[in-house]
Amino acid sequence: MTVRILGLVGSLRAGSHNRQLAEAAVKLAPEGVDLVLYEGLADVPFYNEDIDAEGSVPAAAARLREAAGEADAFLLFSPEYNGTIPAVLKNAIDWLSRPFGAGALSGRPVAVIGTAFGRYGGEWAQNEARKAVGIAGGTVLEDVRLSVPDSVNRFAELHPADDAEVAGQLAGVLTGLSAAVPARV
């Protein structure tokens, strides 16, 4: 059985260290794990219940929901913006939380990881993302974590995939997340 994980990157910047961390996770995914990074979060409009009605859901939001509907689990990569979760990631969580009680996140395993310039590696933002995902109905894996501090210096000349310590930790995250996916019958 192949476990399908949808990765959501909370930074839109092409050279983002969280984007690099996500790329490393794709590269390091173990056999039986298919990690796909969702492209297009920048196109999803801010959540508005007025436009979230049958027949009027924006195409970009519908595509996000469709991709999420095909996933067995989710891996969120969160930088820290002003001590909290980036708006683009929160917006994705909002769209995936609906319809209430039956959104794409509902009952599915979710892990939140990331890197940031500060000495805590973005833990505040990651905790906020875990809180939002839990309220949205996702099954937050509290013990599957990775916060890489000092990203600006640590990844100045080294891609996360080439950092042995980070690569090992990413492999552990992917193994832990895929193990949380219930077996299909």
Side-chain angles (χ1 to χ4, degrees), residues 18-166:
N18 279 281
R19 164 68 56 184
Q20 291 176 7
L21 192 65
E23 292 166 353
V26 168
K27 182 178 178 181
L28 297 167
E31 187 174 332
V33 174
D34 183 23
L35 171 60
V36 174
L37 301 181
Y38 186 78
E39 303 296 341
L41 287 184
D43 302 326
V44 179
F46 282 113
Y47 184 79
N48 176 343
E49 198 169 356
D50 290 342
I51 61 173
D52 188 12
E54 193 172 327
S56 67
V57 174
R63 283 191 298 275
L64 173 62
R65 284 179 172 165
E66 182 180 337
E70 296 171 0
D72 298 311
F74 299 89
L75 181 56
L76 279 54
F77 298 84
S78 184
E80 191 167 274
Y81 293 173
N82 297 315
T84 193
I85 183 174
V88 70
L89 191 55
K90 175 64 169 69
N91 189 49
I93 293 167
D94 291 344
W95 277 104
L96 297 177
S97 73
R98 303 297 179 125
F100 182 74
L105 294 170
S106 191
R108 295 193 189 156
V110 182
V112 181
I113 66 172
T115 186
F117 175 67
R119 67 182 188 190
Y120 300 111
E123 287 184 17
W124 290 348
Q126 293 164 33
N127 287 334
E128 290 293 320
R130 287 183 190 97
K131 176 183 170 186
V133 164
I135 291 170
T139 302
V140 178
L141 303 180
E142 293 292 343
D143 58 338
V144 178
R145 294 175 176 243
L146 174 58
S147 299
V148 183
D150 195 26
S151 62
V152 172
N153 294 313
R154 184 163 191 160
F155 302 129
E157 296 180 23
L158 184 68
H159 192 280
D162 299 323
D163 182 312
E165 180 184 9
V166 170

